[in-house]
Amino acid sequence: MTIKKICCIGAGYVGGPTMAVIAYKNPDIEVNIVDINADRIAAWNDEDLSNLPIYEPGLAEIVEKTRGKNLFFSTDINKAIDESEMIFISVNTPTKTYGKGKGMAADLKYVELCARNIAEVATTDKIVVEKSTLPVRTAQAIKSILHNTGNSVNFDVLSNPEFLAEGTAIQDLLSPDRVLIGGESEDAIESLAKVYGSWVDDDKILRTNVWSSELSKLTANAFLAQRISSINAISELCEKTEANVNEVARAIGMDSRIGSKFLNASIGFGGSCFQKDILNLVYIARSYNLHEVADYWEQVIVLNDHQKRRFSDHLIKTLYNTVSGKKIAMLGWAFKKDTNDTRESAAIYVADHLLSEQANVAVYDPKVEDFKVLNDLNYLNSRPEQENRELVSVHDNPYEALKDAHAVAIMTEWDEFKTYDWRSIYDNMKKPAFVFDGRNILDKSKMEEIGFEYYSIGQ
């Protein structure tokens, strides 16, 4: 099938950047991104590119070059489905908060709604591509829905998981390690391979069966998260001995069998994928009675939660076992630098713990807006929303957030935090002035020379 029109259902962190790059690299293909969220679509269409709903370095420039030419954003889902030969499903698949599998299994209701919508609207043959991260054998469910519509339309279902790291998503798309396409129809696989082939070398386009493709995504995220939990486990041991986790990480990272990536000790991983995908893997393993397998992967989550909790516990203990009425300044709210995504950010859980101890929390993040901070805390339902509003302040100016603070907690590794006038910050803080560096981005000796009581992870 020659692809002339592509539709992507879902204008979020995966669909937006992926389709923008596909449009950029395939000027002869019309790409339509559709979403039921009218506000999100309006933000994608905003003339001011700084108002795009997603912040990713390089994204605005690509949208500027393609939007209105062969990249379009709309809420007219049915029209886009009807006119496209290839449809990407890129909707949210959160962890279930109800019923069987609550707290572990992926909630596939949005994926199923998409499949039913496609089945209802389509009058010509379609290639349907799973882009959302989905549990193994989801393609079978999509296929079943599509093939039992009663009409004569032929649907080919492919799995094409994304392997993007937020903050470097555009570079990851432009120069991918690999593109994975799983399916049963060779023709459908090659149709999608041709789209990617306009800029990706063919030896980097892997063709597999659909089940291998789905499981590869979950496994990749599980392995990456496992590395973070592994080095964080060692960081706690380093703090009890005279070892330095940075030196340990450097030493083991020089082993070519191990490699140096994902060995930065921190307050723990966040983001939309790692925890959700591991819980999904655990749930699938348990459903097949593979309890040892499930227990093994669940420990990665247990260690991550422990790392966040011990960070806030250490802060409270150091501040003489009470933070009640004390101002704690938090630098960073996004789960990592170069993104405005806050999903599962360690900052949320550390702040929540501090608020439960009646601290006054002042937040500064260069890309996260104030309403998002409060929404993230309110979502936890730990206390009345009014109490969150009273105890939390969100600032546009970092120096204002830090003024008169008893302690600073660095939650996100934004580069700008390294460039601050820390001597001036010290002069304007309560004494003794504490810094808890949850990302190990500052120089311990320089901070102590200024006068700070400085604590970092694994040192």
Side-chain angles (χ1 to χ4, degrees), residues 112-345:
E112 183 175 331
L113 286 170
C114 283
R116 293 189 182 280
N117 197 6
I118 293 166
E120 189 179 321
V121 171
T123 55
T124 56
D125 293 353
K126 310 287 184 189
I127 297 172
V128 178
V129 185
E130 296 177 346
K131 198 67 187 171
S132 305
T133 301
L134 300 168
V136 187
R137 304 197 79 83
T138 301
Q140 192 61 48
I142 294 173
K143 195 174 175 184
S144 176
I145 292 166
L146 294 173
H147 288 180
N148 285 284
T149 57
N151 59 30
S152 58
V153 175
N154 181 58
F155 296 99
D156 287 307
V157 180
L158 301 178
S159 169
N160 174 222
E162 55 84 16
F163 295 101
L164 308 178
E166 289 185 42
T168 59
I170 298 302
Q171 197 52 47
D172 294 342
L173 285 162
L174 292 172
S175 303
D177 291 335
R178 77 295 202 194
V179 171
L180 188 55
I181 304 173
E184 296 172 353
S185 164
E186 191 175 328
D187 288 344
I189 290 171
E190 293 311 314
S191 294
L192 181 53
K194 189 177 178 184
V195 172
Y196 283 110
S198 61
W199 81 96
V200 181
D201 292 340
D202 194 64
D203 62 354
K204 288 188 174 183
I205 301 176
L206 308 182
R207 286 93 163 160
T208 70
N209 71 44
V210 70
W211 320 124
S212 295
S213 176
E214 289 179 332
L215 187 55
S216 294
K217 171 61 178 175
L218 296 184
T219 306
N221 279 343
F223 270 57
L224 293 173
Q226 178 198 46
R227 285 174 67 90
I228 296 171
S229 281
S230 294
I231 197 65
N232 282 342
I234 299 303
S235 76
E236 187 168 9
L237 186 58
C238 288
E239 289 170 25
K240 299 296 183 185
T241 63
E242 291 186 9
N244 182 316
V245 74
N246 295 333
E247 294 173 351
V248 172
R250 184 162 177 257
I252 65 172
M254 291 179 75
D255 187 324
S256 60
R257 297 166 300 176
I258 297 173
S260 60
K261 293 182 178 178
F262 280 76
L263 290 181
N264 294 321
S266 68
I267 36 177
F269 57 77
S272 63
C273 289
F274 283 1
Q275 177 159 312
K276 182 187 73 170
D277 290 355
I278 294 172
L279 289 172
N280 202 345
L281 196 60
V282 170
Y283 181 75
I284 292 167
R286 290 230 167 96
S287 71
Y288 287 107
N289 291 318
L290 304 176
H291 297 296
E292 292 81 5
V293 174
D295 291 346
Y296 175 81
W297 287 110
E298 190 170 32
Q299 192 60 32
V300 174
I301 299 291
V302 170
L303 203 291
N304 194 54
D305 290 340
H306 169 68
Q307 189 77 348
K308 289 180 282 193
R309 186 71 184 201
R310 78 180 189 89
F311 180 84
S312 50
D313 280 343
H314 179 59
L315 188 154
I316 294 165
K317 184 179 179 183
T318 306
L319 266 66
Y320 317 111
N321 286 316
T322 178
V323 289
S324 179
K326 293 177 181 176
K327 180 179 180 181
I328 311 298
M330 298 183 72
L331 290 179
W333 194 262
F335 84 91
K336 64 185 288 192
K337 72 174 184 178
D338 292 333
T339 180
N340 61 347
D341 192 353
T342 66
R343 287 175 290 181
E344 292 300 325
S345 173

Side-chain angles (χ1 to χ4, degrees), residues 387-419:
E387 194 174 331
N388 282 334
R389 281 195 294 272
E390 290 170 359
L391 293 173
V392 178
S393 59
V394 185
H395 299 263
D396 294 330
N397 184 312
Y399 292 93
E400 198 60 42
L402 294 162
K403 187 178 180 184
D404 292 325
H406 292 77
V408 183
I410 298 176
M411 310 305 295
T412 312
E413 70 279 21
W414 287 103
D415 291 332
E416 70 174 64
F417 297 162
K418 302 174 193 174
T419 67

Side-chain angles (χ1 to χ4, degrees), residues 71-91:
L71 178 66
F72 303 93
F73 299 89
S74 167
T75 55
D76 195 341
I77 297 172
N78 289 356
K79 181 172 184 285
I81 290 171
D82 181 49
E83 294 179 353
S84 301
E85 298 92 13
M86 182 175 282
I87 302 164
F88 286 80
I89 296 177
S90 189
V91 294

